[in-house]
Every structure is written in C-alpha cells, then in structure tokens.
Amino acid sequence: MSTSTTSIENGSANRNASDDRRSDHRGGRSSARRPSPLTLNDKVRASLLARHADEHNAGHLYDRAAERMQHEGYEGLAHHFRTAAAEERGEHAQRVEDILHAFDIDPPHAAVDEPDLSRYDNALDLLYLAWETEAGLLRRYEETKALAADADELAVESLVDAVLESQLHEVEEARTLYRRCESALRDGSGLMTVDMHLAESQAGG
C-alpha cells in the first residue's frame, strides 16, 4: 500500500470521527451526567431527606402497632394503623420525594428504625404514641420550612407550607381517635366498643 493511500484513509477516518463527535453534540448525547440547573441549599436538602426518612419510620412504627392491635383483638384499630402505615410510606413520603425530584435529587432507599414498643403496655398507649409521632412530624416540618426561609428557598418554603397543612390534619386525626378511646375507657364502654365502630365504618367505606 502506498503512503498516499494510507494518508487518504487516515484523513477519512479522522473526518468520520469528527463527524461522529459533531453528531453526538447535535443529538445531545454525552457520556458525562449534566448537573441540575436548579440547585438546593445543603441544609434544606439534608432536612428534606430527613423528613423523607421520618415518613418511612412512621410507616414502620404503624406496621408494628397494627401487629400489636391485631394480637390484642382490636380489628378496627389494626386496620386503622395498617392504613396509616401505607399512607406514610406512600403518599406522605412521595410528597417529599416530589420536592427533591424537582431539584434532581433522588432520596436513598429508606433504612427504617425498629421501634421499641416494650414501654407501651396497652392499646391506649399506642394511640398516644401515634399522636406524639404526628405532632413530632409537624414540628420537624416547621423546622424544614424555617430553614428554607432562611436560605431563600422560596419554592421549597411554599411547598412545605402545603405539607404542613396536611400534617396538621394528621395530628388532629390522631388526637381525635386518642380522645375518643380515652373517653370510652373513662365512661366504661371500653376500647372494644370504639374498635367495633371503627371496623363497621371501615367495612361500610
């Protein structure tokens, strides 16, 4: 093969490679992952990730509470806690994920904490624990909102406002159920009466 032929072939190969690079650029193909054009304050990011974990921990706690209620014969309360557990892991965790996804942040798979329920002797104790849990979540979301405000993350502050409104409803639901059961014990009708009414409403719903 002559030197001139080799030079022509090399030149053709170089042009083809250059054409491929231009084609990749025009088509938007790149081996490097481009950063999000929308950044998030590090403290706000950490707080949102913590709230995502909180929701999954609450879900796991309610799973365990449902098991206890089932074991003690409270079908309605067990169903209530199973429903609450699914909401925490699903809709409630998702609303935090949606905020993070807007900033191109994928939260890690949540590693839940195993709750110690040995200090909670009866069903009423577990219902109070649920009230405490929802109230604690409310306060921590308030902290997240305050961090967002301090960091001028106005979009996040607005979105967390909507979460707070929903969370306040969760607190009220937990409070109402606890007070209802507390009253039933005080007036002598007992928790089983409340449980039966819950089971009937769940079957009807």
Side-chain angles (χ1 to χ4, degrees), residues 73-77 177 180-181 183-185 187-201:
Y74 297 112
E75 296 286 343
L77 290 170
L177 182 56
R180 182 181 173 189
C181 291
S183 295
L185 284 173
D187 66 22
S189 58
L191 275 184
M192 195 56 73
T193 301
V194 177
D195 185 75
M196 286 189 297
H197 288 159
L198 275 176
E200 288 170 3
S201 65

Side-chain angles (χ1 to χ4, degrees), residues 64-141:
R64 292 292 183 254
E67 291 170 2
R68 279 276 299 275
M69 292 296 190
Q70 190 76 43
H71 179 73
E72 294 179 20
Y74 297 112
E75 296 286 343
L77 290 170
H79 184 277
H80 167 80
F81 274 112
R82 283 194 296 269
T83 301
E87 287 175 351
E88 299 297 339
R89 285 192 301 268
E91 177 186 347
H92 296 180
Q94 187 62 52
R95 64 193 180 188
V96 182
E97 286 186 33
D98 289 344
I99 299 173
L100 290 165
H101 286 162
F103 294 88
D104 197 36
I105 299 167
D106 291 322
H109 182 72
V112 295
D113 299 329
E114 190 61 41
D116 178 11
L117 300 184
S118 61
R119 297 182 293 111
Y120 302 91
D121 297 329
N122 52 57
L124 195 64
D125 285 347
L126 291 175
L127 289 166
Y128 189 76
L129 175 60
W131 185 8
E132 282 185 322
T133 299
E134 296 300 335
L137 277 168
L138 178 74
R139 291 307 187 198
R140 288 193 289 277
Y141 274 116

Side-chain angles (χ1 to χ4, degrees), residues 149-167:
D150 288 344
D152 289 329
E153 294 284 5
L154 303 184
V156 174
E157 183 185 4
S158 176
L159 290 168
V160 175
D161 249 342
V163 173
L164 277 168
E165 183 177 352
S166 175
Q167 187 59 38

